[in-house]
Structures are given as structure tokens and as C-alpha cells.
Amino acid sequence: MDDNRTPATALDEPLGDPREMLAMLEEQQRRVADSQIAPVVWLYFIWGVAWFVGFLALWSGDVDGNPWFTIPAGVATPLFIVLLVISIVSSAVIGLRINRGVRGMSSFSGAVYGLSWSVCGTAFGLLGTALISHGMSTDLANLFFPSGFALMCGTIYLGGAALWRDKSQLVLGLVMLVVGAAAPFAGSPGNDLVFALVGGGAFLVTAAVMAARLRRNR
Amino acid sequence: MDELDPVIHASARLKITATLATLEVGDQIAFPRLQELLGMTAGNLSTHLRKLEDAGYVDVVKSHQGRSPVTYLALSRTGRRAFEDYREALRGLLGESS
């Protein structure tokens, strides 16, 4: 390696052999990638808990739901809403931190992706409100809102998967679309149980797999 | 096999170029964030960045965020190509094909 040494580098730290240099290069790039993946694991975990606990609460808040115990509806619905709000706020905070300090071409993609959550969420919410004002029953609303939410998540995740070539979003997006489309067949409140187990489960399993992979890289 | 590029072939500058190469083309990274990803002191990072800038490998953009100045960095086209050539050269030396 000494043949490659020039006065310009002689002042720097001692040079390793090519194998060490390549390992150092790959290690540093993996470190950068991991620093972007770690917050996503937290996001999936937070959403997983919100879906699992929140929908189980809704299911248990309905007399036709959980056969083992019932939660008062006055507790179940606020609990669901609080979990949802916590998840939305953490998503915004964590999402903004993932690519912090970086500006340029990719900030446009990131901004559109971030905005699409609030824009699509508002659109689905308004549609549901319009349907209720035109006579949609509570039973139907209980089918519409969670499915609308899941279909929205699925669609945006597929967009995210395409933008960042991200397989975790591809898998989650497909699960969300399937669960959003299929859960209403279970009726209400059975659909809540499907969302808790399949939707919440998908988030938690994805978070666990990614966390295990990160730990292996360390 | 060509000699390894002496500008990149130093552990600090190899780490810097490897980190900058993970940015999408057209993106720039703020100095403090780059420092955080590298775990280097500001002085050490500045010194090596100046060498990379002198070689034409790194573009430096001075900008303002409110009143505080922020320096943004990115690999130049030459720098990105040099990094890719360097990586290929290492793999070539190790008998790996890419």
C-alpha cells in the first residue's frame, strides 16, 4: 500500500489495507442507512400499538363484540381517539426528523408524502361526514371509517414504497389494502377485531423484524 | 489497476465521501447533520472537507436559516464519480467483481 501513498495523504491517519477500507466504507454507509431506519421502526411500533389496542378497545366497547369482557363505550372511543392523535403527532415529529439537515430534490418528495397524509385523511373524513349527513347509519359508519382509514394508509404506503424503494412500506401497504377491503365483510364490530389483529399485527411484526435487523448490524 | 485516489484514500475522507454518496443526486446536507452522522469534531471535519473541496470533489453552499449561517455540502459530479471509481478500485484489488 505504501506505493499509493502520496505527500497529500502522508499527513493523514495511517491507511488501512483495501479490505479494511472497503469495510469502513460499507460500515459508514450502513450507519447512515440505519440512522434513517431506526425512527421508522418507532413509527411502526407506535402505530402498531394504536391499531392493536385502539381497535381491540372499540371491539370490546360493543356489546356484540368481545365475549370475555366489555369496556364502556365512553372509555373505548376516547381511548381510540387519544391513541390515534398520539400516533399522528409522533408521525409528524419523527417524520420530520428522518431527513433533517438535508435539502434539495428529495425534500419535495418528502413534503408531498407528508402532506398526502393530512390531505387524504381530511378527504376521507369529509366523505364520511357527507355520507352520515345523507343518512348513513352508525353501523355503516363503523364499517366505513376504519376501512377508509386503512385504504388511505395502504395507498399512501404504496406511494412511499415507490418513492424510496422501501419494501417495508410495500408489505404494509398491501396488508392495509387487503384488510381495509376485507374487514367490512366481518360486519361491525367484527371488523374492529380484524383491524386490531391483522392491521396492528402487521405493524408490530414489521417493527420487530426491522428492529432485529438493526440490532444485527450493530 | 490504477492507484487508489489519494484524496479519498484516508479514513476520515473516505467516511465523508461515503456518507455524502448516500444522498440523492441534487440533495445537500447541513454541516451539523453531516458531523453527527460521522461522529467527527467540527474542526477535523472542516479540515478534510476543505481538502475535498480543493480537489473539486465537494460543493460547498453557504446559506442562511433565519439569521444563523448554515453550510450545506454535497458531492460534485466529479466527486461522486471519484468515489464510485475508488470503490470499484478497492473491489478490484480484492478480486471482487461488482
Side-chain angles (χ1 to χ4, degrees):
Chain A
M1 290 311 299
D2 280 348
D3 298 345
N4 292 324
R5 225 175 252 203
T6 68
T9 54
L11 296 169
D12 295 314
E13 304 144 62
L15 303 176
D17 71 354
R19 193 172 305 278
E20 278 174 31
M21 295 305 269
L22 189 61
M24 188 187 291
L25 183 164
E26 285 166 353
E27 161 67 23
Q28 178 59 26
Q29 292 200 322
R30 194 163 47 228
R31 203 173 142 184
V32 175
D34 287 355
S35 78
Q36 288 165 331
I37 292 171
V40 178
V41 175
W42 277 107
L43 271 185
Y44 290 163
F45 176 72
I46 292 166
W47 278 107
V49 170
W51 277 61
F52 188 73
V53 177
F55 279 112
L56 270 188
L58 287 184
W59 180 63
S60 308
D62 193 300
V63 282
D64 300 325
N66 192 338
W68 296 284
F69 60 89
T70 307
I71 299 176
V75 174
T77 310
L79 175 63
F80 179 78
I81 292 170
V82 166
L83 286 169
L84 206 63
V85 170
I86 291 175
S87 305
I88 291 171
V89 172
S90 352
S91 295
V93 173
I94 295 175
L96 283 174
R97 279 183 61 82
I98 291 176
N99 225 17
R100 70 187 183 282
V102 174
R103 67 172 193 182
M105 304 293 274
S106 72
S107 7
F108 178 76
S109 316
V112 172
Y113 180 83
L115 262 181
S116 62
W117 286 97
S118 44
V119 173
C120 295
T122 309
F124 267 109
L126 278 177
L127 173 61
T129 312
L131 291 176
I132 288 174
S133 74
H134 283 85
M136 180 164 69
S137 67
T138 310
D139 268 355
L140 278 183
N142 287 343
L143 296 181
F144 172 82
F145 280 103
S147 277
F149 179 55
L151 294 178
M152 172 189 95
C153 293
T155 310
I156 298 178
Y157 274 142
L158 288 190
L163 262 182
W164 295 297
R165 297 172 292 278
D166 177 357
K167 289 197 188 105
S168 71
Q169 288 197 63
L170 177 63
V171 171
L172 278 175
L174 292 173
V175 172
M176 294 296 138
L177 286 174
V178 169
V179 79
F185 288 101
S188 173
N191 66 331
D192 291 332
L193 183 61
V194 177
F195 284 118
L197 297 181
V198 185
F203 274 117
L204 292 173
V205 168
T206 309
V209 169
M210 288 169 75
R213 221 173 270 170
L214 278 181
R215 187 156 301 171
R216 213 178 312 140
N217 282 348
R218 262 172 213 157
Chain B
M1 183 53 62
D2 295 332
E3 282 194 350
L4 290 169
D5 187 337
V7 179
I8 300 179
H9 195 60
S11 56
R13 291 196 296 276
L14 173 62
K15 282 186 186 176
I16 296 170
T17 40
T19 305
L20 292 175
T22 62
L23 292 178
E24 300 274 333
V25 174
D27 277 1
Q28 302 169 329
I29 189 167
F31 184 94
R33 175 67 175 143
L34 179 63
Q35 192 191 339
E36 188 186 312
L37 287 172
L38 287 160
M40 291 168 72
T41 64
N44 197 11
L45 179 55
S46 301
T47 309
H48 287 289
L49 278 173
R50 200 161 308 125
K51 285 183 186 169
L52 289 165
E53 189 188 5
D54 290 344
Y57 285 5
V58 165
D59 290 330
V60 179
V61 181
K62 306 250 184 224
S63 172
H64 282 269
Q65 216 159 46
R67 283 192 178 176
S68 46
V70 190
T71 304
Y72 280 92
L73 306 138
L75 283 183
S76 65
R77 194 179 297 187
T78 319
R80 195 170 281 270
R81 200 172 301 150
F83 172 74
E84 280 161 13
D85 288 347
Y86 177 84
R87 188 171 50 191
E88 287 313 299
L90 280 184
R91 287 187 175 146
L93 283 173
L94 295 169
E96 289 177 20
S97 55
S98 53

PDB file of all heavy atoms in Angstrom, chain A residues 60-88:
ATOM      1  N   SER A  60     -64.195  -4.225  22.097  1.00  0.00           N
ATOM      2  CA  SER A  60     -64.638  -4.563  23.449  1.00  0.00           C
ATOM      3  C   SER A  60     -65.666  -3.569  23.972  1.00  0.00           C
ATOM      4  O   SER A  60     -66.323  -3.825  24.990  1.00  0.00           O
ATOM      5  CB  SER A  60     -63.447  -4.597  24.413  1.00  0.00           C
ATOM      6  OG  SER A  60     -62.429  -5.417  23.899  1.00  0.00           O
ATOM      7  N   GLY A  61     -65.803  -2.436  23.284  1.00  0.00           N
ATOM      8  CA  GLY A  61     -66.771  -1.432  23.716  1.00  0.00           C
ATOM      9  C   GLY A  61     -68.159  -1.691  23.158  1.00  0.00           C
ATOM     10  O   GLY A  61     -69.111  -0.979  23.504  1.00  0.00           O
ATOM     11  N   ASP A  62     -68.271  -2.680  22.305  1.00  0.00           N
ATOM     12  CA  ASP A  62     -69.562  -3.001  21.683  1.00  0.00           C
ATOM     13  C   ASP A  62     -70.127  -4.268  22.346  1.00  0.00           C
ATOM     14  O   ASP A  62     -69.398  -5.241  22.543  1.00  0.00           O
ATOM     15  CB  ASP A  62     -69.329  -3.250  20.185  1.00  0.00           C
ATOM     16  CG  ASP A  62     -70.630  -3.274  19.402  1.00  0.00           C
ATOM     17  OD1 ASP A  62     -71.502  -4.138  19.702  1.00  0.00           O
ATOM     18  OD2 ASP A  62     -70.775  -2.430  18.495  1.00  0.00           O
ATOM     19  N   VAL A  63     -71.405  -4.235  22.687  1.00  0.00           N
ATOM     20  CA  VAL A  63     -71.998  -5.392  23.385  1.00  0.00           C
ATOM     21  C   VAL A  63     -71.915  -6.662  22.548  1.00  0.00           C
ATOM     22  O   VAL A  63     -71.863  -7.780  23.083  1.00  0.00           O
ATOM     23  CB  VAL A  63     -73.474  -5.138  23.777  1.00  0.00           C
ATOM     24  CG1 VAL A  63     -73.546  -4.253  25.002  1.00  0.00           C
ATOM     25  CG2 VAL A  63     -74.263  -4.545  22.620  1.00  0.00           C
ATOM     26  N   ASP A  64     -71.897  -6.506  21.212  1.00  0.00           N
ATOM     27  CA  ASP A  64     -71.805  -7.688  20.343  1.00  0.00           C
ATOM     28  C   ASP A  64     -70.358  -8.070  20.056  1.00  0.00           C
ATOM     29  O   ASP A  64     -70.093  -8.963  19.241  1.00  0.00           O
ATOM     30  CB  ASP A  64     -72.502  -7.406  19.005  1.00  0.00           C
ATOM     31  CG  ASP A  64     -73.975  -7.084  19.215  1.00  0.00           C
ATOM     32  OD1 ASP A  64     -74.577  -7.682  20.124  1.00  0.00           O
ATOM     33  OD2 ASP A  64     -74.493  -6.215  18.483  1.00  0.00           O
ATOM     34  N   GLY A  65     -69.423  -7.374  20.678  1.00  0.00           N
ATOM     35  CA  GLY A  65     -68.009  -7.617  20.390  1.00  0.00           C
ATOM     36  C   GLY A  65     -67.398  -8.650  21.311  1.00  0.00           C
ATOM     37  O   GLY A  65     -67.837  -9.804  21.362  1.00  0.00           O
ATOM     38  N   ASN A  66     -66.385  -8.207  22.033  1.00  0.00           N
ATOM     39  CA  ASN A  66     -65.621  -9.074  22.924  1.00  0.00           C
ATOM     40  C   ASN A  66     -66.530  -9.931  23.833  1.00  0.00           C
ATOM     41  O   ASN A  66     -67.269  -9.385  24.645  1.00  0.00           O
ATOM     42  CB  ASN A  66     -64.717  -8.170  23.778  1.00  0.00           C
ATOM     43  CG  ASN A  66     -63.667  -8.964  24.520  1.00  0.00           C
ATOM     44  OD1 ASN A  66     -63.825 -10.162  24.736  1.00  0.00           O
ATOM     45  ND2 ASN A  66     -62.600  -8.279  24.899  1.00  0.00           N
ATOM     46  N   PRO A  67     -66.475 -11.274  23.712  1.00  0.00           N
ATOM     47  CA  PRO A  67     -67.329 -12.129  24.537  1.00  0.00           C
ATOM     48  C   PRO A  67     -66.827 -12.256  25.974  1.00  0.00           C
ATOM     49  O   PRO A  67     -67.554 -12.735  26.847  1.00  0.00           O
ATOM     50  CB  PRO A  67     -67.278 -13.477  23.824  1.00  0.00           C
ATOM     51  CG  PRO A  67     -65.985 -13.471  23.088  1.00  0.00           C
ATOM     52  CD  PRO A  67     -65.669 -12.035  22.760  1.00  0.00           C
ATOM     53  N   TRP A  68     -65.574 -11.862  26.227  1.00  0.00           N
ATOM     54  CA  TRP A  68     -64.998 -12.079  27.560  1.00  0.00           C
ATOM     55  C   TRP A  68     -65.246 -10.914  28.504  1.00  0.00           C
ATOM     56  O   TRP A  68     -65.526 -11.094  29.660  1.00  0.00           O
ATOM     57  CB  TRP A  68     -63.500 -12.371  27.453  1.00  0.00           C
ATOM     58  CG  TRP A  68     -63.240 -13.651  26.723  1.00  0.00           C
ATOM     59  CD1 TRP A  68     -63.398 -14.897  27.219  1.00  0.00           C
ATOM     60  CD2 TRP A  68     -62.828 -13.793  25.372  1.00  0.00           C
ATOM     61  NE1 TRP A  68     -63.103 -15.830  26.248  1.00  0.00           N
ATOM     62  CE2 TRP A  68     -62.742 -15.182  25.105  1.00  0.00           C
ATOM     63  CE3 TRP A  68     -62.516 -12.891  24.351  1.00  0.00           C
ATOM     64  CZ2 TRP A  68     -62.369 -15.684  23.863  1.00  0.00           C
ATOM     65  CZ3 TRP A  68     -62.140 -13.391  23.130  1.00  0.00           C
ATOM     66  CH2 TRP A  68     -62.072 -14.777  22.883  1.00  0.00           C
ATOM     67  N   PHE A  69     -65.086  -9.690  28.007  1.00  0.00           N
ATOM     68  CA  PHE A  69     -65.364  -8.533  28.859  1.00  0.00           C
ATOM     69  C   PHE A  69     -65.770  -7.356  27.979  1.00  0.00           C
ATOM     70  O   PHE A  69     -65.474  -7.333  26.772  1.00  0.00           O
ATOM     71  CB  PHE A  69     -64.162  -8.162  29.734  1.00  0.00           C
ATOM     72  CG  PHE A  69     -62.927  -7.800  28.953  1.00  0.00           C
ATOM     73  CD1 PHE A  69     -62.693  -6.483  28.543  1.00  0.00           C
ATOM     74  CD2 PHE A  69     -61.977  -8.782  28.624  1.00  0.00           C
ATOM     75  CE1 PHE A  69     -61.560  -6.155  27.824  1.00  0.00           C
ATOM     76  CE2 PHE A  69     -60.845  -8.461  27.904  1.00  0.00           C
ATOM     77  CZ  PHE A  69     -60.627  -7.146  27.503  1.00  0.00           C
ATOM     78  N   THR A  70     -66.457  -6.405  28.583  1.00  0.00           N
ATOM     79  CA  THR A  70     -66.905  -5.231  27.838  1.00  0.00           C
ATOM     80  C   THR A  70     -66.336  -3.965  28.486  1.00  0.00           C
ATOM     81  O   THR A  70     -66.310  -3.853  29.711  1.00  0.00           O
ATOM     82  CB  THR A  70     -68.444  -5.157  27.835  1.00  0.00           C
ATOM     83  OG1 THR A  70     -68.941  -6.419  27.372  1.00  0.00           O
ATOM     84  CG2 THR A  70     -68.938  -4.053  26.897  1.00  0.00           C
ATOM     85  N   ILE A  71     -65.860  -3.061  27.648  1.00  0.00           N
ATOM     86  CA  ILE A  71     -65.389  -1.758  28.124  1.00  0.00           C
ATOM     87  C   ILE A  71     -66.514  -0.768  27.843  1.00  0.00           C
ATOM     88  O   ILE A  71     -67.128  -0.844  26.781  1.00  0.00           O
ATOM     89  CB  ILE A  71     -64.127  -1.317  27.347  1.00  0.00           C
ATOM     90  CG1 ILE A  71     -62.985  -2.316  27.540  1.00  0.00           C
ATOM     91  CG2 ILE A  71     -63.681   0.081  27.772  1.00  0.00           C
ATOM     92  CD1 ILE A  71     -61.758  -1.975  26.729  1.00  0.00           C
ATOM     93  N   PRO A  72     -66.795   0.147  28.775  1.00  0.00           N
ATOM     94  CA  PRO A  72     -67.830   1.140  28.476  1.00  0.00           C
ATOM     95  C   PRO A  72     -67.471   1.912  27.207  1.00  0.00           C
ATOM     96  O   PRO A  72     -66.309   2.268  27.011  1.00  0.00           O
ATOM     97  CB  PRO A  72     -67.809   2.069  29.694  1.00  0.00           C
ATOM     98  CG  PRO A  72     -67.067   1.339  30.754  1.00  0.00           C
ATOM     99  CD  PRO A  72     -66.193   0.330  30.096  1.00  0.00           C
ATOM    100  N   ALA A  73     -68.474   2.141  26.351  1.00  0.00           N
ATOM    101  CA  ALA A  73     -68.210   2.844  25.093  1.00  0.00           C
ATOM    102  C   ALA A  73     -67.634   4.225  25.367  1.00  0.00           C
ATOM    103  O   ALA A  73     -66.833   4.746  24.574  1.00  0.00           O
ATOM    104  CB  ALA A  73     -69.493   2.953  24.275  1.00  0.00           C
ATOM    105  N   GLY A  74     -68.014   4.811  26.518  1.00  0.00           N
ATOM    106  CA  GLY A  74     -67.492   6.138  26.874  1.00  0.00           C
ATOM    107  C   GLY A  74     -65.991   6.121  27.148  1.00  0.00           C
ATOM    108  O   GLY A  74     -65.350   7.165  27.219  1.00  0.00           O
ATOM    109  N   VAL A  75     -65.431   4.915  27.345  1.00  0.00           N
ATOM    110  CA  VAL A  75     -63.984   4.797  27.555  1.00  0.00           C
ATOM    111  C   VAL A  75     -63.312   4.365  26.242  1.00  0.00           C
ATOM    112  O   VAL A  75     -62.259   4.888  25.855  1.00  0.00           O
ATOM    113  CB  VAL A  75     -63.682   3.771  28.667  1.00  0.00           C
ATOM    114  CG1 VAL A  75     -62.176   3.534  28.785  1.00  0.00           C
ATOM    115  CG2 VAL A  75     -64.260   4.233  29.991  1.00  0.00           C
ATOM    116  N   ALA A  76     -63.947   3.393  25.568  1.00  0.00           N
ATOM    117  CA  ALA A  76     -63.331   2.793  24.378  1.00  0.00           C
ATOM    118  C   ALA A  76     -63.092   3.823  23.276  1.00  0.00           C
ATOM    119  O   ALA A  76     -61.976   3.917  22.732  1.00  0.00           O
ATOM    120  CB  ALA A  76     -64.203   1.650  23.857  1.00  0.00           C
ATOM    121  N   THR A  77     -64.126   4.606  22.956  1.00  0.00           N
ATOM    122  CA  THR A  77     -63.978   5.559  21.839  1.00  0.00           C
ATOM    123  C   THR A  77     -62.952   6.645  22.144  1.00  0.00           C
ATOM    124  O   THR A  77     -62.056   6.879  21.313  1.00  0.00           O
ATOM    125  CB  THR A  77     -65.349   6.161  21.474  1.00  0.00           C
ATOM    126  OG1 THR A  77     -66.272   5.078  21.319  1.00  0.00           O
ATOM    127  CG2 THR A  77     -65.280   6.950  20.185  1.00  0.00           C
ATOM    128  N   PRO A  78     -63.005   7.297  23.328  1.00  0.00           N
ATOM    129  CA  PRO A  78     -61.954   8.290  23.611  1.00  0.00           C
ATOM    130  C   PRO A  78     -60.548   7.677  23.608  1.00  0.00           C
ATOM    131  O   PRO A  78     -59.603   8.303  23.119  1.00  0.00           O
ATOM    132  CB  PRO A  78     -62.309   8.801  25.009  1.00  0.00           C
ATOM    133  CG  PRO A  78     -63.752   8.533  25.162  1.00  0.00           C
ATOM    134  CD  PRO A  78     -64.036   7.287  24.371  1.00  0.00           C
ATOM    135  N   LEU A  79     -60.422   6.449  24.119  1.00  0.00           N
ATOM    136  CA  LEU A  79     -59.120   5.791  24.130  1.00  0.00           C
ATOM    137  C   LEU A  79     -58.599   5.639  22.696  1.00  0.00           C
ATOM    138  O   LEU A  79     -57.431   5.927  22.400  1.00  0.00           O
ATOM    139  CB  LEU A  79     -59.223   4.415  24.806  1.00  0.00           C
ATOM    140  CG  LEU A  79     -57.953   3.556  24.784  1.00  0.00           C
ATOM    141  CD1 LEU A  79     -56.827   4.231  25.566  1.00  0.00           C
ATOM    142  CD2 LEU A  79     -58.217   2.157  25.358  1.00  0.00           C
ATOM    143  N   PHE A  80     -59.505   5.196  21.808  1.00  0.00           N
ATOM    144  CA  PHE A  80     -59.132   5.021  20.399  1.00  0.00           C
ATOM    145  C   PHE A  80     -58.662   6.352  19.818  1.00  0.00           C
ATOM    146  O   PHE A  80     -57.628   6.429  19.152  1.00  0.00           O
ATOM    147  CB  PHE A  80     -60.335   4.487  19.612  1.00  0.00           C
ATOM    148  CG  PHE A  80     -60.068   4.302  18.149  1.00  0.00           C
ATOM    149  CD1 PHE A  80     -59.363   3.201  17.683  1.00  0.00           C
ATOM    150  CD2 PHE A  80     -60.509   5.242  17.228  1.00  0.00           C
ATOM    151  CE1 PHE A  80     -59.110   3.032  16.326  1.00  0.00           C
ATOM    152  CE2 PHE A  80     -60.256   5.089  15.869  1.00  0.00           C
ATOM    153  CZ  PHE A  80     -59.558   3.978  15.413  1.00  0.00           C
ATOM    154  N   ILE A  81     -59.416   7.417  20.095  1.00  0.00           N
ATOM    155  CA  ILE A  81     -59.081   8.735  19.539  1.00  0.00           C
ATOM    156  C   ILE A  81     -57.747   9.245  20.097  1.00  0.00           C
ATOM    157  O   ILE A  81     -56.901   9.751  19.348  1.00  0.00           O
ATOM    158  CB  ILE A  81     -60.224   9.746  19.814  1.00  0.00           C
ATOM    159  CG1 ILE A  81     -61.454   9.333  18.987  1.00  0.00           C
ATOM    160  CG2 ILE A  81     -59.801  11.170  19.462  1.00  0.00           C
ATOM    161  CD1 ILE A  81     -62.730  10.081  19.318  1.00  0.00           C
ATOM    162  N   VAL A  82     -57.546   9.057  21.415  1.00  0.00           N
ATOM    163  CA  VAL A  82     -56.277   9.509  22.019  1.00  0.00           C
ATOM    164  C   VAL A  82     -55.093   8.779  21.380  1.00  0.00           C
ATOM    165  O   VAL A  82     -54.079   9.399  21.023  1.00  0.00           O
ATOM    166  CB  VAL A  82     -56.303   9.285  23.553  1.00  0.00           C
ATOM    167  CG1 VAL A  82     -54.903   9.409  24.141  1.00  0.00           C
ATOM    168  CG2 VAL A  82     -57.238  10.280  24.217  1.00  0.00           C
ATOM    169  N   LEU A  83     -55.216   7.451  21.201  1.00  0.00           N
ATOM    170  CA  LEU A  83     -54.124   6.682  20.591  1.00  0.00           C
ATOM    171  C   LEU A  83     -53.847   7.174  19.176  1.00  0.00           C
ATOM    172  O   LEU A  83     -52.698   7.277  18.739  1.00  0.00           O
ATOM    173  CB  LEU A  83     -54.480   5.190  20.574  1.00  0.00           C
ATOM    174  CG  LEU A  83     -54.406   4.476  21.923  1.00  0.00           C
ATOM    175  CD1 LEU A  83     -55.036   3.092  21.834  1.00  0.00           C
ATOM    176  CD2 LEU A  83     -52.945   4.368  22.383  1.00  0.00           C
ATOM    177  N   LEU A  84     -54.931   7.485  18.449  1.00  0.00           N
ATOM    178  CA  LEU A  84     -54.800   7.958  17.073  1.00  0.00           C
ATOM    179  C   LEU A  84     -54.068   9.297  17.036  1.00  0.00           C
ATOM    180  O   LEU A  84     -53.145   9.494  16.238  1.00  0.00           O
ATOM    181  CB  LEU A  84     -56.208   8.103  16.471  1.00  0.00           C
ATOM    182  CG  LEU A  84     -56.343   7.985  14.962  1.00  0.00           C
ATOM    183  CD1 LEU A  84     -55.938   6.588  14.514  1.00  0.00           C
ATOM    184  CD2 LEU A  84     -57.792   8.262  14.546  1.00  0.00           C
ATOM    185  N   VAL A  85     -54.468  10.199  17.955  1.00  0.00           N
ATOM    186  CA  VAL A  85     -53.847  11.529  17.974  1.00  0.00           C
ATOM    187  C   VAL A  85     -52.364  11.419  18.343  1.00  0.00           C
ATOM    188  O   VAL A  85     -51.499  12.040  17.709  1.00  0.00           O
ATOM    189  CB  VAL A  85     -54.603  12.467  18.955  1.00  0.00           C
ATOM    190  CG1 VAL A  85     -53.817  13.756  19.172  1.00  0.00           C
ATOM    191  CG2 VAL A  85     -55.988  12.791  18.413  1.00  0.00           C
ATOM    192  N   ILE A  86     -52.052  10.577  19.351  1.00  0.00           N
ATOM    193  CA  ILE A  86     -50.646  10.387  19.736  1.00  0.00           C
ATOM    194  C   ILE A  86     -49.839   9.897  18.530  1.00  0.00           C
ATOM    195  O   ILE A  86     -48.742  10.379  18.250  1.00  0.00           O
ATOM    196  CB  ILE A  86     -50.527   9.372  20.905  1.00  0.00           C
ATOM    197  CG1 ILE A  86     -51.106   9.972  22.188  1.00  0.00           C
ATOM    198  CG2 ILE A  86     -49.074   8.952  21.118  1.00  0.00           C
ATOM    199  CD1 ILE A  86     -51.144   8.995  23.354  1.00  0.00           C
ATOM    200  N   SER A  87     -50.412   8.950  17.795  1.00  0.00           N
ATOM    201  CA  SER A  87     -49.690   8.389  16.651  1.00  0.00           C
ATOM    202  C   SER A  87     -49.494   9.426  15.557  1.00  0.00           C
ATOM    203  O   SER A  87     -48.425   9.493  14.940  1.00  0.00           O
ATOM    204  CB  SER A  87     -50.447   7.205  16.061  1.00  0.00           C
ATOM    205  OG  SER A  87     -50.685   6.255  17.059  1.00  0.00           O
ATOM    206  N   ILE A  88     -50.514  10.229  15.308  1.00  0.00           N
ATOM    207  CA  ILE A  88     -50.397  11.243  14.249  1.00  0.00           C
ATOM    208  C   ILE A  88     -49.331  12.273  14.614  1.00  0.00           C
ATOM    209  O   ILE A  88     -48.466  12.607  13.801  1.00  0.00           O
ATOM    210  CB  ILE A  88     -51.770  11.924  13.994  1.00  0.00           C
ATOM    211  CG1 ILE A  88     -52.730  10.915  13.353  1.00  0.00           C
ATOM    212  CG2 ILE A  88     -51.606  13.147  13.092  1.00  0.00           C
ATOM    213  CD1 ILE A  88     -54.170  11.394  13.248  1.00  0.00           C
TER     214      ILE A  88
END
